[in-house]
Amino acid sequence: MITTRLVVDNNVNKTQAYTQAVEKLIQGEIVAFPTETVYGLGAIATDEQAVAKIFEAKGRPSDNPLIVHVGEAHHILKYVKEIPQKANDCIETFWPGPLTVILNAIPNTFAPNVTAGLSTVGLRMPDHPIALELLRRLGQPVAAPSANRSGKPSPTTALHVEKDLQGRIPLILDGGATGIGLESTVVDFTVDPPVILRPGGVTAQMLREVIGEVIDPDTTTVEDETVPRAPGMKYAHYAPDAPVFLIEPDHEAVENAINSIHMKHQKVALIAPDEFKQSHADWFFSLGNQQNLVTSARHLYAHLRSCDDTVTDIILVTVPIKTGVGAAILNRLEKAANGNWWHS
């Protein structure tokens, strides 16, 4: 299969790019496209054979449910049994945007491999002009996980998608780098109070300001289910080739770790805020100012991928403060590191 990457901008090729993408989807193919979080790999969510191509291209476990994307908020009325008031309040506040709502699906609405056999479905309306235009032109719901090989860092540019899925998918819509850089927040609204299943750009505090009490991962165990209720809950994710170790953002601890690695004649890449750029790491990738977690989130996956272009033996990543979007960053880092922390 030849993979075509089409740059979507304001020139005359824009309409042609959307037309090709819509045609591919209607024909039962899969298409990669940008959202405000990461690039997604989409198929029409009612077409079981098309959705199966997502799992095949990604090498993704089939018991991992997919998020369904819509171009208009009111479209979800056709797909779910009811929309609780708290869910509706959040939809009105955060859509389009990086919030996925888990609701009870109307039976036999989506392909069974979208919901992984669950009675619930995750839905969101992305806040990206290309994603919205594609969805509105298509007029059908699109199931779309991140457009990367399963387990690898999610793609924040079309080139990341191309590197992972070249020859596996027919079409990539190139809309440049994504804005947020981390996947959406996933909230289960089938229970009350609602439960955050995956932290993201919409933080727990932002949710509480709209609907009051929300249970977050710090106070609720949400990862013990045999079948995960949301993407990213069950398997290792976001991992580059070299092993990742997390470390507290302490200058002495970081330098001691680097020295220890060098004593073993190994090379080390450090992903950390600017405050650590004078370290003795063999490669340094900046997360920006230590207080600017939004910048850290935007660059995290790209830096993890950049480590694959080095010959590093170990990747050290300093952890952020666990407030706001820092909780989402730490969530992704713990999965990238498979729970490994550096201990001297």
Side-chain angles (χ1 to χ4, degrees), residues 5 73 83 225:
R5 178 167 59 88
I83 305 175
E225 301 177 65

Side-chain angles (χ1 to χ4, degrees), residues 29 35 59 73 76 80 82 95 129 179 199 210 248 252 258 285 288 302 306 320 325 328 340:
E29 294 294 339
T35 76
I76 71 172
V80 300
E82 63 175 343
W95 279 19
V210 176
E248 293 292 340
E252 183 176 358
I258 292 171
F285 299 96
S306 292
V325 75
N340 292 324

Side-chain angles (χ1 to χ4, degrees), residues 8 35 38 62 70 77-78 112 126 138 157 185 212 231 239 241 248 277 287 308:
V8 183
T35 76
V38 298
S62 60
V70 296
L77 294 169
K78 299 182 290 186
L138 178 66
T157 71
T185 304
D241 293 338
E248 293 292 340
K277 63 184 177 183
L287 291 173
D308 286 345

Side-chain angles (χ1 to χ4, degrees), residues 196-320:
I196 299 174
L197 300 183
R198 182 179 71 187
V202 176
T203 66
Q205 182 58 37
M206 293 164 67
L207 291 164
R208 291 186 180 113
E209 290 174 359
V210 176
I211 59 173
E213 184 180 3
V214 176
I215 298 176
D216 65 30
D218 285 335
T219 58
T220 304
T221 301
V222 295
E223 300 196 15
D224 293 335
E225 301 177 65
T226 301
V227 178
R229 292 173 66 79
M233 290 179 63
K234 187 173 180 182
Y235 300 97
H237 284 71
Y238 323 120
D241 293 338
V244 174
F245 286 85
L246 307 185
I247 191 167
E248 293 292 340
D250 176 84
H251 285 275
E252 183 176 358
V254 169
E255 285 302 328
N256 287 341
I258 292 171
N259 290 336
S260 176
I261 294 167
H262 283 163
M263 286 179 65
K264 297 177 182 178
H265 305 291
Q266 293 180 315
K267 295 185 180 297
V268 55
L270 176 65
I271 301 176
D274 287 337
E275 289 86 339
F276 293 85
K277 63 184 177 183
Q278 299 302 322
S279 72
H280 293 91
D282 299 284
W283 295 272
F284 176 73
F285 299 96
S286 171
L287 291 173
N289 184 285
Q290 194 166 12
Q291 304 304 316
N292 192 337
L293 296 175
V294 173
T295 298
S296 297
R298 185 179 300 125
H299 295 299
L300 176 63
Y301 287 149
H303 288 340
L304 288 171
R305 284 179 169 270
S306 292
C307 288
D308 286 345
D309 297 326
T310 72
V311 291
T312 191
D313 298 293
I314 289 176
I315 301 168
L316 283 180
V317 188
T318 60
V319 297

Side-chain angles (χ1 to χ4, degrees), residues 67-288:
I67 291 172
V68 175
H69 296 65
V70 296
E72 301 285 353
H74 64 85
H75 286 176
I76 71 172
L77 294 169
K78 299 182 290 186
Y79 311 134
V80 300
K81 293 180 178 179
E82 63 175 343
I83 305 175
Q85 186 61 48
K86 290 182 179 179
N88 189 68
D89 290 345
C90 286
I91 287 169
E92 290 184 350
T93 303
F94 299 112
W95 279 19
L99 174 68
T100 294
V101 298
I102 301 288
L103 299 171
N104 287 308
I106 296 174
N108 304 315
T109 299
F110 297 110
N113 49 0
V114 169
T115 59
L118 297 170
S119 61
T120 56
V121 65
L123 296 143
R124 93 175 187 97
M125 180 181 175
D127 188 14
H128 193 287
I130 293 175
L132 288 175
E133 183 69 17
L134 175 64
L135 289 164
R136 289 165 179 169
R137 285 175 181 249
L138 178 66
Q140 298 187 59
V142 170
S146 56
N148 57 290
R149 291 288 288 168
S150 187
K152 289 299 181 182
S154 298
T156 55
T157 71
L159 292 177
H160 294 162
V161 180
E162 194 171 53
K163 182 175 181 180
D164 273 15
L165 300 178
Q166 177 71 254
R168 291 176 170 271
I169 65 175
L171 184 63
I172 303 168
L173 294 183
D174 186 346
T178 61
I180 294 176
L182 294 179
E183 297 83 356
S184 63
T185 304
V186 179
V187 182
D188 186 355
F189 285 97
T190 67
V191 294
D192 193 17
V195 177
I196 299 174
L197 300 183
R198 182 179 71 187
V202 176
T203 66
Q205 182 58 37
M206 293 164 67
L207 291 164
R208 291 186 180 113
E209 290 174 359
V210 176
I211 59 173
E213 184 180 3
V214 176
I215 298 176
D216 65 30
D218 285 335
T219 58
T220 304
T221 301
V222 295
E223 300 196 15
D224 293 335
E225 301 177 65
T226 301
V227 178
R229 292 173 66 79
M233 290 179 63
K234 187 173 180 182
Y235 300 97
H237 284 71
Y238 323 120
D241 293 338
V244 174
F245 286 85
L246 307 185
I247 191 167
E248 293 292 340
D250 176 84
H251 285 275
E252 183 176 358
V254 169
E255 285 302 328
N256 287 341
I258 292 171
N259 290 336
S260 176
I261 294 167
H262 283 163
M263 286 179 65
K264 297 177 182 178
H265 305 291
Q266 293 180 315
K267 295 185 180 297
V268 55
L270 176 65
I271 301 176
D274 287 337
E275 289 86 339
F276 293 85
K277 63 184 177 183
Q278 299 302 322
S279 72
H280 293 91
D282 299 284
W283 295 272
F284 176 73
F285 299 96
S286 171
L287 291 173

Side-chain angles (χ1 to χ4, degrees), residues 28-76:
E29 294 294 339
I30 53 179
V31 173
F33 59 93
T35 76
E36 81 281 24
T37 57
V38 298
Y39 272 72
L41 181 59
I44 292 177
T46 55
D47 186 336
E48 186 173 4
Q49 291 184 325
V51 172
K53 294 178 181 180
I54 294 176
F55 292 97
E56 182 180 1
K58 284 177 61 70
R60 179 186 175 103
S62 60
D63 66 345
N64 223 351
L66 305 180
I67 291 172
V68 175
H69 296 65
V70 296
E72 301 285 353
H74 64 85
H75 286 176
I76 71 172

